Amino acid sequence: MTELQQPTESPLLEVAGLETHFPIRKGLLRRQVGTVRAVDGVNLEVTAGEVFGFLGPNGAGKSTTVRILTTLLKPSAGSASVAGYDIETEADAVRRSIGVALQDAAIDPLMTGTELLRLQAVLYGIPRNAQHERAGELLERVGLSAAGDRRVGTYSGGMRRRLDLALALIHEPSVLFLDEPTTGLDPMSRMSLWEEIRRLNNDGTTVLLTTQYLEEADQLADRVAIIDNGKIVREGRPEALKTDVGAPTLLISVADDHVEPAREVLAQFGEARPTAEGTLGVGLTQGAGDVSNVVRALDAKGIVVEHLELRAPSLDDVFAEATGHRLEGAS
């Protein structure tokens, strides 16, 4: 991980008041009955050399924001510049400056990895004598040299994601957009892709990474913006955001008929925190030392604790504090 650089006078990526609205259409008549504001007043600055994490649940507006910044969608309001170019008036220059790996990228399964990379090189105007060399370098970089002459239809999910990353890098972009690059991958493939993202960043590539995985944002990002319902609800360094939450979270499970009495006991020790269904949580105002006091108080009320867990503040706690609910899949 590179050391976070101080903001420059001209951020590499700058977003102000970005909004977009999608029509809701119903039935065969396609009658417009309202609008969904998928991105609602997003403001961001990303400086050169950062890995910037865009964290949020499905449907929060992450992918829509990326599609706007990569010129695939037009905003309804606001402005943005990427690599110094306006996304609307200088869209061609933006596209020449960025690499994009989207989660729903279409890759021809009948072509080989080498053929796809060489085709991508042609599209970016890379000279013929450099195309083969560049393709070979990138296949080696993402660990696909041995599979370069195989049809992509035979690749695993992890191999396809790595090839997609190589395709996004063919023209050596200054800014790389990765839209949920590890969704659906097994743990080993996910860690392999993480290492490649770190290497790219160490080599000077600025990365904007969207993810719904807490650990991914924590592991890779110098800074994160947490988005929910189209709005950014928190932004900063992961450690600073977690520190701001303060108190650790005590999670307990009790029998159904003891839920309300247990909730009353926990309220004596701090504010309730959103938890997964079937679990109660409290932010311990006095810290971890209060766990024994909580257990004694529950015991005095005849409440049997089936499970108890103490967690240090996490990005999920940051998200929960800001929105009142937890990320999908977070426990």
Side-chain angles (χ1 to χ4, degrees), residues 177-214:
F177 290 87
L178 300 177
D179 188 19
E180 302 204 19
T182 65
T183 297
L185 296 188
D186 62 83
M188 289 300 296
S189 296
R190 181 173 295 160
M191 291 180 67
S192 176
L193 202 55
W194 285 1
E195 286 305 311
E196 185 55 40
I197 293 169
R198 291 189 182 102
R199 281 194 292 270
L200 286 168
N201 183 238
N202 288 335
D203 289 344
T205 304
T206 301
V207 179
L208 190 145
L209 167 79
T210 77
T211 183
Q212 57 181 311
Y213 297 126
L214 300 162

Side-chain angles (χ1 to χ4, degrees), residues 272-329:
R273 286 192 172 159
T275 63
E277 187 175 353
T279 308
L280 298 174
V282 62
L284 294 179
T285 305
Q286 300 301 316
D290 240 1
V291 172
S292 58
N293 294 329
V294 174
V295 172
R296 281 194 290 269
L298 291 167
D299 187 56
K301 294 288 186 179
I303 299 169
V304 177
V305 177
E306 298 174 347
H307 176 79
L308 182 147
E309 181 180 352
L310 183 68
R311 291 185 180 178
S314 68
L315 286 178
D316 190 35
D317 291 319
V318 177
F319 184 87
E321 183 187 56
T323 66
H325 60 94
R326 292 191 176 269
L327 279 165
E328 297 171 19

Side-chain angles (χ1 to χ4, degrees), residues 32-231:
Q32 185 169 317
V33 296
T35 59
V36 172
R37 187 172 294 183
V39 176
D40 190 4
V42 167
N43 295 284
L44 290 176
E45 284 191 3
V46 179
T47 59
E50 281 192 294
V51 176
F52 190 92
F54 212 29
L55 176 65
N58 287 329
K62 305 186 303 296
S63 295
T64 301
T65 301
V66 166
R67 289 179 179 276
I68 293 172
L69 295 177
T70 56
T71 75
L72 296 174
L73 287 175
K74 286 188 176 294
S76 305
S79 62
S81 65
V82 179
Y85 301 107
D86 186 274
I87 60 169
E88 293 195 84
T89 62
E90 300 171 292
D92 287 344
V94 170
R95 288 192 283 268
R96 288 194 298 270
S97 302
I98 64 175
V100 184
L102 301 177
Q103 57 179 310
D104 56 357
I107 299 178
D108 189 340
L110 298 180
M111 295 182 71
T112 68
T114 298
E115 287 170 344
L116 279 167
L117 282 164
R118 295 187 71 175
L119 175 60
Q120 189 86 331
V122 170
L123 295 175
Y124 276 101
I126 295 173
R128 181 182 293 272
N129 60 356
Q131 292 171 12
H132 186 73
E133 181 181 359
R134 182 70 178 145
E137 289 174 352
L138 286 170
L139 285 171
E140 182 178 0
R141 176 162 201 167
V142 298
L144 292 176
S145 294
D149 294 328
R150 284 170 45 189
R151 294 184 188 275
V152 174
T154 68
Y155 284 16
S156 67
M159 292 169 70
R160 285 177 179 241
R161 290 292 172 87
R162 283 184 277 149
L163 177 61
D164 197 29
L165 180 59
L167 290 166
L169 295 171
I170 194 74
H171 57 302
E172 299 181 309
S174 58
V175 186
L176 179 63
F177 290 87
L178 300 177
D179 188 19
E180 302 204 19
T182 65
T183 297
L185 296 188
D186 62 83
M188 289 300 296
S189 296
R190 181 173 295 160
M191 291 180 67
S192 176
L193 202 55
W194 285 1
E195 286 305 311
E196 185 55 40
I197 293 169
R198 291 189 182 102
R199 281 194 292 270
L200 286 168
N201 183 238
N202 288 335
D203 289 344
T205 304
T206 301
V207 179
L208 190 145
L209 167 79
T210 77
T211 183
Q212 57 181 311
Y213 297 126
L214 300 162
E215 185 184 8
E216 188 158 273
D218 226 350
Q219 285 279 334
L220 296 176
D222 298 304
R223 287 191 300 133
V224 297
I226 299 176
I227 186 170
D228 189 47
N229 292 323
K231 294 179 179 289

